[in-house]
Amino acid sequence: MSHIPVLLNEVINYLNCRVAKQTFIDGTLGGGGHSLAIIKKIYPLGKLLALDLDKDNIDNFQQIINKLPYKKNVLLFNDNFVHLKKIIYSLNLPPVKGILLDLGLSSMLLEDSGRGFSFQRDEPLDMRYCNPPIKGSLTATDIINTWSVSELDRIFWQYGEETNHQRIASVIVKARLIKKIETTQQLVHLINQIIPVTRKNIHPATKIFQALRIAVNQELINLTEVLKQSMDVLSPQGRLVVISYHSLEDRIVKRFFIQQNKLRRIRILTKKPIRPGKEEIQYNFRSRSGKLRVMEKI
Ligand SMILES: C[S@@+](CC[C@H](N)C(=O)[O-])C[C@H]1O[C@@H](n2cnc3c(N)ncnc32)[C@H](O)[C@@H]1O
């Protein structure tokens, strides 16, 4: 399953990609759709640095560019974007003029990873973006089977904004006394005991799966950190483009931009977030919740 890049034209236009001795960073390579469009615009003088926690994405993109002339202008790292500053400082690259963060899940993670991101499949409850996984790192199975009822309750509310947070946490804690909860369908079954599936609403498991993913991967902490580091890494007039897919992430981005704007460190280029149009949503349904925000460093 390949991933269709979201708001591709808007990303490329806002990043202001052109042929010059400049560096662009894609902090979330995924299927490489955005990265490929960036390198095409900046080659032969520009450099692209791309990161992803999933090594399969790095290897796949390496194979793609091996067949293309851009190879020498692309640097790929199987790493967390929270290490962005350290990575950039360790390399001798031209000024950084653009950073892209396209947050969250790729289609490959949902459909092909076998790591339990989709409530529509029956897979082990893992949910780590990191591949290969760091030995002993926290999984969704660990959280579901070992965290206290109040900790579960908290993440379901804070990271999922699930109104039935308390009841779902207690049903899980009762069920795990009888049998360890290790698969997505075991969890979905428990959630459905509290909220039955209806045709009208979103699937009852959506918010709980989101909460677990955020907790396993420390997504909100990482986002807050990379936003700060972007300010150090970007050169003046450099731009940061962020696409988020739920309100918790978007709120963090929005507040960070407002705060930096007040300090006169940036200009906000998108007063309101840019959303995919009807046409894009029609051919790429996953883009429907995307919100793109852009700032320029002063
Ligand atoms: C929405 S996808 C990116 C899609 C990509 N823009 C494309 O066009 O194919 C997000 C990607 O970011 C990666 N990711 C998530 N959190 C990360 C982090 N903290 N550091 C590096 N990569 C991360 C995921 O593994 C996933 O491949």
Side-chain angles (χ1 to χ4, degrees):
M1 175 82 206
S2 61
H3 181 93
I4 306 170
V6 173
L7 292 164
L8 182 60
N9 291 333
E10 291 80 355
V11 166
I12 297 304
N13 289 337
Y14 271 113
L15 280 174
N16 213 2
C17 300
R18 58 197 171 85
V19 182
K21 281 196 172 175
Q22 300 177 338
T23 302
F24 286 82
I25 298 171
D26 183 349
T28 49
L29 175 70
H34 289 116
S35 271
L36 197 57
I38 295 171
I39 190 66
K40 280 183 185 165
K41 286 272 181 190
I42 63 174
Y43 182 79
L45 295 180
K47 298 269 187 199
L48 170 73
L49 168 72
L51 315 176
D52 202 293
L53 274 170
D54 193 328
K55 189 164 183 300
D56 288 349
N57 291 335
I58 300 290
D59 293 345
N60 289 339
F61 196 67
Q62 187 70 62
Q63 278 190 8
I64 294 170
I65 54 158
N66 278 349
K67 297 182 204 131
L68 299 168
Y70 320 120
K71 195 176 153 188
K72 282 196 181 135
N73 297 51
V74 178
L75 292 110
L76 300 175
F77 283 78
N78 177 210
D79 208 329
N80 194 318
F81 57 54
V82 284
H83 301 136
L84 180 61
K85 197 166 145 181
K86 202 174 80 186
I87 293 170
I88 276 287
Y89 288 2
S90 72
L91 302 165
N92 189 16
L93 290 172
V96 177
K97 285 291 178 182
I99 301 176
L100 168 65
L101 299 170
D102 179 18
L103 302 168
L105 283 172
S106 63
S107 306
M108 295 85 74
L109 280 175
L110 264 178
E111 317 250 328
D112 303 329
S113 72
R115 280 180 260 160
F117 289 103
S118 169
F119 48 75
Q120 281 165 340
R121 295 172 178 264
D122 196 11
E123 295 174 348
L125 269 175
D126 184 308
M127 296 200 190
R128 286 173 291 185
Y129 286 147
C130 199
N131 170 36
I134 298 170
K135 212 173 157 220
S137 56
L138 185 73
T139 66
T141 299
D142 297 333
I143 293 180
I144 288 291
N145 290 283
T146 64
W147 285 19
S148 68
V149 70
S150 58
E151 283 173 312
L152 292 177
D153 178 9
R154 178 185 65 82
I155 62 163
F156 294 163
W157 175 237
Q158 280 183 4
Y159 298 162
E161 298 183 314
E162 170 55 64
T163 42
N164 292 290
H165 50 104
Q166 265 177 328
R167 290 169 66 212
I168 295 173
S170 27
V171 100
I172 289 171
V173 171
K174 272 184 208 138
R176 75 189 188 194
L177 290 175
I178 301 162
K179 189 171 185 245
K180 191 172 177 189
I181 303 157
E182 291 177 296
T183 68
T184 48
Q185 286 316 303
Q186 273 178 284
L187 180 60
V188 168
H189 178 71
L190 293 171
I191 298 167
N192 288 345
Q193 287 180 15
I194 305 294
I195 327 167
V197 182
T198 63
R199 273 168 170 255
K200 268 199 223 150
N201 301 326
I202 58 161
H203 191 285
T206 310
K207 293 177 173 184
I208 298 299
F209 272 59
Q210 173 185 305
L212 285 168
R213 221 185 65 209
I214 290 176
V216 166
N217 296 291
Q218 303 203 311
E219 288 183 52
L220 305 184
I221 299 170
N222 289 345
L223 174 59
T224 307
E225 179 56 32
V226 75
L227 292 175
K228 278 193 247 155
Q229 291 189 19
S230 298
M231 288 302 297
D232 297 330
V233 164
L234 277 174
S235 56
Q237 279 78 56
R239 292 181 176 185
L240 171 65
V241 175
V242 189
I243 311 176
S244 56
Y245 296 88
H246 55 77
S247 55
L248 297 169
E249 282 172 346
D250 185 57
R251 213 173 293 153
I252 291 174
V253 178
K254 183 179 162 186
R255 285 183 185 160
F256 181 78
F257 283 13
I258 290 172
Q259 177 217 26
Q260 294 296 311
N261 188 47
K262 274 191 189 147
L263 296 169
R264 298 190 189 284
R265 292 186 180 146
I266 66 155
R267 284 193 309 131
I268 299 173
L269 304 189
T270 45
K271 294 286 172 237
K272 282 197 175 154
I274 312 273
R275 319 261 339 228
K278 268 191 204 148
E279 209 180 305
E280 177 164 359
I281 296 171
Q282 230 165 32
Y283 75 79
N284 183 13
F285 190 60
R286 292 226 175 92
S287 70
R288 69 195 181 286
S289 45
K291 282 187 180 172
L292 178 146
R293 293 186 187 269
V294 188
M295 58 148 244
E296 184 178 272
K297 188 169 162 180
I298 291 174

